[in-house]
Every structure is written in C-alpha cells, then in structure tokens.
Amino acid sequence: MHPTASSKTLLTTLTVLAAAALAACGGGGGGNDTAEPPVVTPPVAASKFTQNATWSFTLPSAGNSLCYDFDAKAQAACTGNQWDVKVVSGGRSAELFTNSGPSSADGTGTGGAFGTPFVHTWTDLQKWNDALVDPVGGALPATVYTADTAKSAFSGTNAIQSAAYEYDLNGTHQMHPNFRVFLITTNSASSDISGSVGDVYALQVTGYYGSATGTASGWPSFRFINRAAAATPFTASVNASQGWVYYDLKNQVTTTESGTWHIAFNRYNIKLNGGTSGKGTVAGFLSKTPAGFYQADGKTPIAAKFNATTNLADTLADLQGALTGPASANAWVKDSIGSQLSPTYTGTYPNALNYGWFNYYPTDAAGAAAGVTQHMLKANPEAATLVKSGTGNSYARMRVKEIAYAPATPAYGGAQTWTVEFGIQPATN
C-alpha cells in the first residue's frame, strides 16, 4: 500500500512536531532532561533625542547675526536665553556660537558646546540616546558642555586657557604666574611699540594670591612700565575674586567699566578695552616668555622654575629690556569671543582649510576634487557636535548639512544658503 500525498503531508507534520517536543524536553542531545533557559534580551534604552529640526537660512552680510531656538524649531531674536545657536557672518564665511559666556549679550544664557568638538561624527551621534551619556564611555559630567569665552592676548591653550598662568603644577591646585611680558597698546591702528604713537605698556602678571593674609585666591598682582617713560615699573594688586575689576594703566588706579580703563581682571581671566570687550582701541601682544619656564616645545611647564623664589627678581630684566612687537597693526590681538563651535582651522594654504563645519578652498586646484571653485565653502556633513540650549535644560546634536551658492559670476559671489540639522533632546519636566 502506497501513502497518498495527504498522508505524506500528515507524516511530515507529525515528525516535525515530535522533533520539536523532543528538543524541548532535552531529548536527542545526549540525554539531558533539563530544559534550556530562555534567552532574555535586555531592553534597549529609549533615545531621549525625540525631535528633529532643520534650520535653513541665507547668510547675511558681514557683521550681521542670525540666531536659532532648536526647542521652538524656529529662528529667534539674538536676545535673552531663548536662542541656542548663533551664526555671525564674515561675508564669505561664518562663525558659530552658543548662548553662553560673552556670547550671551545680557548674561542670561547658560548654554554651551561639547568640550571637544568634532570628535564624534554625525553617524556616531545617531547612536547616542542621551546627551549626558556616552554609549562607550558612560555618564558625562554637565561641565563637558563648555561656555563661550573671551579671547585676548592673555588667552592660552593650556587646561585653563591662560597664557599668563599655569595650574596645579605641584598637585596643590595652585595658580602659578609665568612672568611673560605682554605689550598693551592704546592705539591698535599703529604697530609702534615705543609709545610715540599712543601709550604702549609692557606688563607682567606676577601673582594670584593676596588680601591681608596674602593667601586669598583671585587677587592677581602685576607690574608694568610705560615704554615712553621711565623704566621703573609700577606694581599693583587687585581683588578680582568676586567679578571684573577694571584698571587704568595710565593713572595707576582701579576704575569702572564705564570709565577709562585698559585692562580688567576676573580671577585668572584677563581682558582688554577693545574688540568685543570694550569701546576702546586697546589691544595686546605676547612679546616674550622668560627663559627656563617651559621645555623646548614651549608648552610643557618646568615645575622647578615656577617654584623658584627668585622669579620676581630674575624676570625684571625681561620687562625692562628690548621687546618684540607686532610686525603690523593687524597683528595686535584685539579681544574676541571664542567658542567650541568655531575652532581654529587646520590645513595649509594653498590646500583646503578645514574649519570643522566646512572646508574653504582658496584656489581652483584645491577645490577641483570637491567640485567647487576658488574661495568657495563646502559643508562637511559628517562633522557634528552636541550643544546645550540657552536655557540650559535641553540638548541637541547638530551638523551643517549643506552650503549652497546661488548662481553668480564669480561662483563664490552668490548668496549662500546654509542648512543646519538638529536632533533634539527636549527638556524633561
């Protein structure tokens, strides 16, 4: 008797069911009668980046700004704490800023940008579920979001962003002056450093601790000379532990922000009355680093030299001697605003220069492979970072997706349309 097609199907089905039952009981695998425990996959944490927004704008003329509120998904006035990202046009290019520090015009913005920009690509950041949790490194402190800062001739590249101090060289969390000589001019339109065109001062920061005890922090001390007058230095110390203190170098007195001042101190931060910091024409220039304070790289401190008790006397000759000034007037450093969203470019002319968000192509040859002509920008859509909002309670990952030019001759003369994308982590109630 031969089985019919239907009976073959039935036999096959019964065989499969029997094999499944046997496997469930541990049979057919060496006689183990213990059931295998079920595999439990842990739940994937829900992403807090639950919203998206696109900001498209025409780059305004040089010196003008546009601001964006990624919580409202709309362009906003550049006032108060509601805007989150600002674009300041340079005409053919632009810089970006957060609503924080000196970028916050009325001081209410508490935003910031991820402390090391562009270390994560846009693709990388799609894997983040929380702006305060690195999926590889774990939880992040809120301080990883850095506020914008004032930049001046006194700004540096060390951990405290200072050219006048080093920090914690002995493991005691102390500030150490490096006795560098800075030139300060009251007329940044001239490169003269003799003092014959405007007043020019040579200044050294000499300490950080003072008050009646001599140990209170935030009391910077300094000495300076007017290069057109006698070489005997004036010395001063100010209590800058509670905020900005303004100093008039000509009259050797503290004053107010609305008065006549040249230099101001706020703990170890220093600014000059010019550029973005004031209405004056004061600017600075780092002229000389006394010998012995740094290794050959010019960056690594030599702790023994900083600890020497004779530094004040040993470096006086540096203040009073011959100094190198700026080669031209535009080499004076006027105060500006620094932001993690506007890093210093990398690259060497005539090759492409990388500004993080975009590349700039100074020549046709440089832009050939990128499909652009000289003086044009091209977005780096994989370049990305994280930003904290001006209100300080929400975050966004962001990138410049595209920079498009309107038809024009030459091509770089066309209006630029920027497209910026955000993935938003809204504030939680």
Side-chain angles (χ1 to χ4, degrees):
M1 179 177 177
H2 298 286
T4 64
S6 60
S7 63
K8 286 182 179 180
T9 301
L10 177 60
L11 287 171
T12 301
T13 301
L14 291 173
T15 301
V16 171
L17 291 173
L22 181 63
C25 294
N32 184 357
D33 293 333
T34 303
E36 293 291 332
V39 176
V40 178
T41 302
V44 177
S47 176
K48 295 182 179 180
F49 292 94
T50 57
Q51 300 177 22
N52 297 293
T54 299
W55 180 24
S56 183
F57 60 87
T58 299
L59 187 68
S61 57
N64 291 300
S65 304
L66 297 174
C67 290
Y68 190 76
D69 178 351
F70 57 67
D71 291 309
K73 304 182 183 66
Q75 202 159 289
C78 297
T79 57
N81 65 358
Q82 293 303 307
W83 66 270
D84 306 314
V85 175
K86 178 191 290 184
V87 171
V88 178
S89 173
R92 292 182 183 173
S93 64
E95 291 186 293
L96 282 73
F97 299 90
T98 67
N99 192 346
S100 63
S103 295
S104 175
D106 60 2
T108 61
T110 56
F114 196 85
T116 307
F118 311 121
V119 295
H120 302 292
T121 66
W122 182 249
T123 299
D124 291 336
L125 292 180
Q126 304 310 300
K127 303 171 185 176
W128 286 49
N129 292 326
D130 189 326
L132 290 174
V133 180
D134 184 327
V136 176
L140 298 169
T143 52
V144 75
Y145 288 86
T146 305
D148 292 1
T149 58
K151 292 175 63 178
S152 73
F154 293 86
S155 300
T157 58
N158 59 15
I160 58 172
Q161 303 293 294
S162 174
Y165 291 104
E166 295 293 341
Y167 174 66
D168 198 24
L169 297 182
N170 304 318
T172 55
H173 304 290
Q174 299 288 299
M175 302 290 291
H176 305 267
N178 56 23
F179 298 90
R180 280 175 168 150
V181 182
F182 297 86
L183 292 173
I184 300 172
T185 180
T186 61
N187 182 5
S188 56
S190 170
S191 61
D192 174 76
I193 66 167
S194 68
S196 61
V197 181
D199 290 321
V200 177
Y201 301 91
L203 181 144
Q204 286 176 316
V205 176
T206 57
Y208 185 68
Y209 300 92
S211 80
T213 65
T215 59
S217 63
W219 286 69
S221 55
F222 51 100
R223 62 187 177 189
F224 59 96
I225 60 173
N226 185 328
R227 288 180 57 81
T232 301
F234 297 98
T235 60
S237 177
V238 296
N239 179 4
S241 63
Q242 303 301 315
W244 287 107
V245 175
Y246 300 87
Y247 193 86
D248 179 346
L249 294 172
K250 184 172 184 177
N251 295 300
Q252 300 96 49
V253 293
T254 56
T255 181
T256 63
E257 185 177 13
S258 59
T260 299
W261 63 278
H262 303 99
I263 189 169
F265 302 85
N266 183 351
R267 300 194 70 82
Y268 61 84
N269 299 294
I270 303 172
K271 64 182 180 180
L272 299 173
N273 190 358
T276 58
S277 294
K279 298 179 180 179
T281 56
V282 181
F285 186 81
L286 173 52
S287 180
K288 187 173 185 178
T289 300
F293 282 81
Y294 294 91
Q295 295 183 14
D297 61 6
K299 298 179 180 179
T300 305
I302 298 175
K305 178 61 178 177
F306 278 86
N307 293 331
T309 58
T310 59
N311 281 337
L312 190 65
D314 293 345
T315 58
L316 179 59
D318 294 294
L319 179 71
Q320 297 172 317
L323 295 171
T324 301
S328 60
N330 61 12
W332 286 109
V333 179
K334 300 177 183 178
D335 281 23
S336 60
I337 298 174
S339 175
Q340 296 292 348
L341 297 188
S342 293
T344 303
Y345 72 83
T346 58
T348 305
Y349 179 90
N351 300 311
L353 305 180
N354 188 331
Y355 285 80
W357 303 110
F358 56 83
N359 278 2
Y360 165 66
Y361 298 90
T363 64
D364 286 334
V372 298
T373 60
Q374 66 172 343
H375 303 313
M376 292 185 74
L377 312 181
K378 186 171 184 179
N380 295 325
E382 273 296 295
T385 194
L386 294 156
V387 180
K388 182 167 66 170
S389 67
T391 51
N393 56 2
S394 58
Y395 300 86
R397 51 195 174 210
M398 65 173 285
R399 68 167 175 170
V400 176
K401 182 181 181 181
E402 183 181 32
I403 300 173
Y405 286 78
T409 302
Y412 61 78
Q416 297 178 25
T417 298
W418 289 46
T419 301
V420 184
E421 288 190 346
F422 299 90
I424 305 163
Q425 178 176 322
T428 56
N429 296 325

